[in-house]
Amino acid sequence: MNRDFDVISAARNWRVEAPAPATPAQVFGELFASDVLTLDELRVRLSKPVYRSLQATLERGERLDPAIADTVALAMKAWALEKGATHYTHWFQPLTGYTAEKHDAFLTPTSDGGAIASFSGKELIQAEPDASSFPSGGLRATFEARGYTAWDPSSPAFIMRHANGATLCIPTAFASWTGEALDNKTPLLRSTEALNRSAQAALRLFGHPEDTRVSSTLGAEQEYFLIAEEYYYRRPDLVMTGRTLFGAKPPRGQELEDHYFGAIPDRVLSFMTDVEHQLYALGVPVKTRHNEVAPGQFEVAPIFEASNVAADHQQLVMQVLRNTARKYGLVALLHEKPFAGVNGSGKHCNWSMSTSSGLNLLDPGETPHENAQFLFFCAAVLKAVDEHQDLLRVSVASASNDHRLGANEAPPAIISIFLGEELTDIFERLVSGEGGRGAEAGVLGLGVPVLPHLPRHAGDRNRTSPFAFTGNKFEFRAVGSSQSISFPITVLNTIVADAIEALSAQLRAKLEEGQDIDSAAVQVVKETYARHRRIVFNGDGYAQAWHEEAERRGLLNLRTSLDAIERLSDPKNVTLFSRYGVLSEREVQARQEVLYDQYFKTVNIEGETTEYIAQTMILPAAANYLRELCAVKTPARALTATASEVAAVTDDLYDALQHLREQNAALGGEEIHEKAHHMRDHVIPAMQAVRGAADRLERLVSETLWPLPTYRQMLFVK
Ligand code: ADP
Ligand code: MG
């Protein structure tokens, strides 16, 4: 019997009590951002000149002035000690997609044998983690093995708590000594600036003040599964790879649709409330929680924020979900496809652009002038997405996300835009020159349309699109549930910055010819839409008919991540990124290398784990069952028949396993992309064959002998 691993009791032994419930006044008043070193908090603690200098740094998006660093560090330390922190860490986002931290105590020994808490400006501004263990795609190898982290003052420091203490976390960028980005934050910050520059210039044409700053806004909806810890630790595949490599589909999946938006079980609700309280303390404005489509699947979503802060906060959401689940005897699975045949998990990224005064550039507005400006920015997004389908696809490329994209599930690997009937109709009529359809859609003056009211939630009617307009923002739905949102936003910011710049040049030319801004904008919109309308698709993205139609339209269908990763270093993309100072050619190549490497490692671990489980758990279970069946002195017909069926499938399993073993031992070549291709073309099919036989055995072998918790148990027992 396999039902009594010690590891389970070990895992159970450090359960923490749930926190005492807080009152609403405490939650929204005292708790929110209580563990964040906000600007207000710093203002109280710093002298006026120092605070002003810090503020100026922030506004210009620059590094901290070394002259004030010691003073700021002192204030930070005092605050952190009051909050109970004994350690500090430069908190950064290496290219693994996770966050990394190396903790240092504030401790400094004194000459009299005692110790004091200290923290210098130097330690605040810059630190040198042991960079050699983070992926760099070769960026470090050629020069020096070292990297450093540098404070990003635009994202506030915060306190991370654990059962026995707390740590001051300082959000930082991570770079090599030669200045190349080794992380996800640096390019994101650069792309934010690129978008600002180009949107600012466009807004000036529309008559906005010179100093209007523009940044992208982002709200990421996180989907995840919760399963009981007891099951998790009995599944080496979940522990090693985050997904089940075996498991027959349960008799009931999401067919009954009774889970979606259904009542949330008590245990889960307590967990969610705990998560929310921790996130509130960290200043993360989480807003909604609900059940998702699949049994055991849930979602949490925040109110949108500036994308740099949103990206940091998204990492905290994942971390808090993971850590907190354990307190409730649960494990949060963030993998894109933990269970085959069951709905996967995504991370819809709601994206827009907003001015410093809070004007949402993708809000249609009420007046014809606002409408024209909205159509202009909307057209820029259409152009950007059409021209850079490949980059959007690369930005969500991973071995794990391949189980969603391009599989029989939403969204497809083909990048297209859902605009909704109303908006599509407006663009189409602009191009065809037809007038309005009734008064509400009337055409004013020189062809500036007065937009009808666009329904806010139009996007929800079509959940099959990877990129949907949802009333006042776009929702990029291809992003995977486990990935960092930094690179997808970096790509979005950059491609839209580029499109806005191109459209602004056309607009400027028309203005110089003497056209007024509104009709010039509408002209540009018309021409842009005519050129890029192929990217708009309002139909069913899952349908085979769409795949054929998309091919006719010449849209890319980069089915697997490797097809997409290959394109990252295309000259078009290298030029784009370097033109906007987002990534140098070497940085692009390094990222490509890391993507290949991660793909390779992910599948390689899966292949080895499949082999291990099949050989050491499933084969023995089948053998035990056969022994039981054959041990009967006077066998019933049922037993001999079952025995020969089990024997036949066991032989299939064995053959498939031999093949997998060979594929696991081979590498397919020396280069990382060759190894990655070997994984995709040989290891994955070999794994699937092993799984096929094993899943058939699961339906034959006595349940008491089956070594792995089943889908039925994991998904339905809460
Ligand atoms: P739904 O998608 O269910 O209609 P909402 O429209 O409220 O729900 O938003 C879903 C997500 O989109 C939330 O995280 C929300 O904060 C975010 N969002 C709303 N407006 C914007 C915006 N202007 N920019 C970026 N994200 C936004
Ligand atoms: Mg959504």
Side-chain angles (χ1 to χ4, degrees):
M1 279 287 284
N2 289 285
R3 300 277 156 104
D4 52 3
F5 300 129
D6 279 356
V7 68
I8 299 301
S9 51
R12 273 193 192 135
N13 277 344
W14 62 281
R15 189 140 320 149
V16 186
E17 288 304 308
T23 66
Q26 285 166 335
V27 172
F28 302 120
E30 295 147 43
L31 185 62
F32 193 80
S34 57
D35 279 343
V36 182
L37 185 50
T38 57
L39 276 180
D40 275 351
E41 187 67 46
L42 273 171
R43 187 172 46 220
V44 178
R45 290 166 184 268
L46 294 172
S47 70
K48 265 208 181 103
V50 172
Y51 179 74
R52 251 187 254 120
S53 161
L54 175 66
Q55 212 178 14
T57 306
L58 286 178
E59 274 160 18
R60 288 192 303 267
E62 285 168 6
R63 291 251 179 97
L64 189 64
D65 176 2
I68 63 163
D70 277 329
T71 319
V72 176
L74 215 60
M76 276 176 120
K77 182 193 71 181
W79 176 81
L81 293 180
E82 282 167 30
K83 292 283 170 193
T86 51
H87 290 68
Y88 70 91
T89 181
H90 277 205
W91 187 78
F92 61 101
Q93 302 177 23
L95 295 175
T96 52
Y98 298 104
T99 55
E101 45 196 83
K102 175 194 162 212
H103 296 198
D104 278 293
F106 287 123
L107 179 98
T108 304
T110 53
S111 53
D112 59 1
I116 53 160
S118 75
F119 183 51
S120 70
K122 236 174 70 197
E123 289 167 313
L124 164 63
I125 294 185
Q126 201 160 298
E128 192 183 337
D130 177 15
S132 55
S133 42
F134 297 108
S136 73
L139 277 181
R140 273 189 326 263
T142 15
F143 293 91
E144 263 188 285
R146 292 189 304 165
Y148 68 92
T149 50
W151 185 30
D152 160 26
S154 69
S155 185
F158 56 90
I159 302 282
M160 273 303 252
R161 297 185 180 281
H162 54 91
N164 292 326
T167 307
L168 170 69
C169 296
I170 304 160
T172 54
F174 179 41
S176 73
W177 281 104
T178 47
E180 275 140 337
L182 295 175
D183 68 345
N184 283 317
K185 184 191 265 286
T186 307
L188 175 58
L189 290 171
R190 294 172 181 162
S191 74
T192 310
E193 195 41 42
L195 183 68
N196 172 49
R197 276 196 307 271
S198 94
Q200 208 169 31
L203 282 179
R204 238 172 272 144
L205 301 177
F206 281 95
H208 292 259
E210 294 267 328
D211 60 348
T212 310
R213 278 191 69 84
V214 177
S215 55
S216 58
T217 50
L218 199 108
E221 308 163 50
Q222 174 76 52
E223 293 179 333
Y224 61 96
F225 280 85
L226 287 175
I227 65 164
E229 200 174 42
E230 281 86 337
Y231 299 134
Y232 179 79
Y233 285 102
R234 285 174 189 173
R235 300 265 341 192
D237 47 1
L238 279 179
V239 176
M240 299 309 294
T241 73
R243 74 180 181 104
T244 54
L245 300 170
F246 297 93
K249 201 176 168 323
R252 187 186 132 189
Q254 56 219 46
E255 292 81 3
L256 297 179
E257 293 173 341
D258 56 348
H259 180 70
Y260 190 49
F261 278 16
I264 305 174
D266 259 13
R267 182 182 186 181
V268 174
L269 202 49
S270 307
F271 155 79
M272 287 174 166
T273 308
D274 195 338
V275 165
E276 285 168 358
H277 286 180
Q278 293 175 62
L279 289 172
Y280 287 155
L282 291 166
V284 183
V286 281
K287 174 95 172 148
T288 59
R289 58 188 188 197
H290 60 82
N291 290 350
E292 257 302 325
V293 182
Q297 193 185 29
F298 306 91
E299 182 185 293
V300 56
I303 296 170
F304 67 94
E305 301 176 277
S307 55
N308 170 37
V309 176
D312 282 354
H313 281 172
Q314 217 295 303
Q315 291 286 351
L316 291 178
V317 168
M318 291 197 283
Q319 192 173 339
V320 170
L321 282 173
R322 281 201 192 95
N323 289 346
T324 310
R326 299 291 305 275
K327 288 200 222 169
Y328 295 85
L330 299 166
V331 173
L333 305 177
L334 301 186
H335 193 282
E336 282 74 7
K337 194 75 176 177
F339 305 100
V342 175
N343 194 57
S345 297
K347 182 145 53 198
H348 296 177
C349 282
N350 296 270
W351 179 94
S352 187
M353 295 168 278
S354 165
T355 66
S356 28
S357 55
L359 174 73
N360 178 355
L361 299 182
L362 292 175
D363 194 317
E366 307 286 341
T367 67
H369 179 66
E370 287 170 335
N371 288 172
Q373 182 185 298
F374 157 73
L375 288 174
F376 176 85
F377 285 106
C378 192
V381 176
L382 296 186
K383 175 180 164 70
V385 173
D386 186 30
E387 285 175 354
H388 302 291
Q389 301 158 43
D390 55 344
L391 279 181
L392 287 169
R393 178 67 183 87
V394 181
S395 79
V396 298
S398 71
S400 51
N401 211 12
D402 275 1
H403 299 290
R404 292 172 67 229
L405 312 176
N408 305 320
E409 190 183 331
I414 305 165
I415 302 287
S416 65
I417 298 184
F418 171 89
L419 272 187
E421 296 303 330
E422 293 83 358
L423 194 51
T424 308
D425 188 50
I426 287 157
F427 278 114
E428 288 291 341
R429 277 189 286 117
L430 275 179
V431 171
S432 67
E434 279 171 47
R437 205 176 41 183
E440 45 49 271
V443 172
L444 197 94
L446 284 160
V448 181
V450 181
L451 302 187
H453 181 71
L454 295 172
R456 272 288 148 81
H457 296 271
D460 277 355
R461 278 190 246 125
N462 186 335
R463 303 185 124 260
T464 68
S465 176
F467 202 95
F469 181 71
T470 48
N472 59 356
K473 61 188 186 286
F474 280 93
E475 183 170 343
F476 187 21
R477 295 178 174 143
V479 182
S481 53
S482 72
Q483 78 172 99
S484 154
I485 60 173
S486 294
F487 194 48
I489 316 171
T490 301
V491 166
L492 257 173
N493 287 346
T494 311
I495 66 179
V496 175
D498 185 49
I500 291 175
E501 193 173 289
L503 296 194
S504 296
Q506 296 171 21
L507 188 59
R508 213 170 284 118
K510 292 193 198 305
L511 291 177
E512 276 158 17
E513 287 165 13
Q515 289 195 41
D516 73 88
I517 177 72
D518 291 341
S519 50
V522 168
Q523 275 301 319
V524 171
V525 168
K526 232 165 101 166
E527 289 161 20
T528 308
Y529 184 78
R531 207 165 301 134
H532 298 289
R533 57 150 54 109
R534 66 170 186 171
I535 197 69
V536 176
F537 177 64
N538 293 327
D540 179 3
Y542 303 172
Q544 185 53 37
W546 166 233
H547 287 231
E548 288 153 21
E549 165 72 13
E551 198 177 334
R552 270 197 298 280
R553 293 190 189 186
L555 298 180
L556 290 175
N557 185 0
L558 303 173
R559 240 175 269 270
T560 74
S561 286
L562 295 186
D563 301 323
I565 295 167
E566 194 181 308
R567 298 192 177 234
L568 180 56
S569 59
D570 282 357
K572 160 186 96 81
N573 297 331
V574 170
T575 308
L576 173 79
F577 282 124
S578 61
R579 179 169 166 173
Y580 291 93
V582 173
L583 291 170
S584 68
E585 179 165 11
R586 268 166 55 77
E587 287 171 332
V588 168
Q589 278 160 355
R591 265 154 190 76
Q592 184 174 45
E593 183 97 359
V594 171
L595 284 169
Y596 276 129
D597 190 54
Q598 298 246 316
Y599 184 96
F600 161 69
K601 284 184 178 143
T602 303
V603 183
N604 189 32
I605 293 169
E606 289 182 350
E608 305 269 348
T609 308
T610 301
E611 182 185 322
Y612 166 83
I613 292 176
Q615 179 69 44
T616 66
M617 297 175 86
I618 294 175
L619 209 56
N624 282 341
Y625 189 42
L626 274 176
R627 198 175 308 123
E628 268 187 17
L629 289 172
C630 301
V632 185
K633 284 259 157 51
T634 46
R637 195 160 32 85
L639 299 193
T640 36
T642 304
S644 47
E645 196 178 350
V646 171
V649 183
T650 307
D651 281 345
D652 288 349
L653 176 75
Y654 183 75
D655 294 342
L657 186 55
Q658 295 321 304
H659 180 62
L660 175 64
R661 201 170 265 148
E662 284 159 28
Q663 297 307 328
N664 277 343
L667 275 180
E670 289 297 312
E671 300 289 328
I672 188 63
H673 71 268
E674 292 169 337
K675 293 185 197 170
H677 277 97
H678 175 72
M679 293 296 131
R680 183 190 68 183
D681 299 335
H682 300 286
V683 173
I684 290 179
M687 278 165 53
Q688 278 162 348
V690 171
R691 180 185 187 141
D695 290 357
R696 272 188 289 151
L697 280 174
E698 185 187 321
R699 291 170 173 277
L700 288 172
V701 171
S702 159
E703 195 188 292
T704 54
L705 293 175
W706 195 250
L708 297 168
T710 61
Y711 274 27
R712 177 169 48 76
Q713 293 163 329
M714 289 187 286
L715 290 170
F716 291 97
V717 181
K718 286 194 207 81

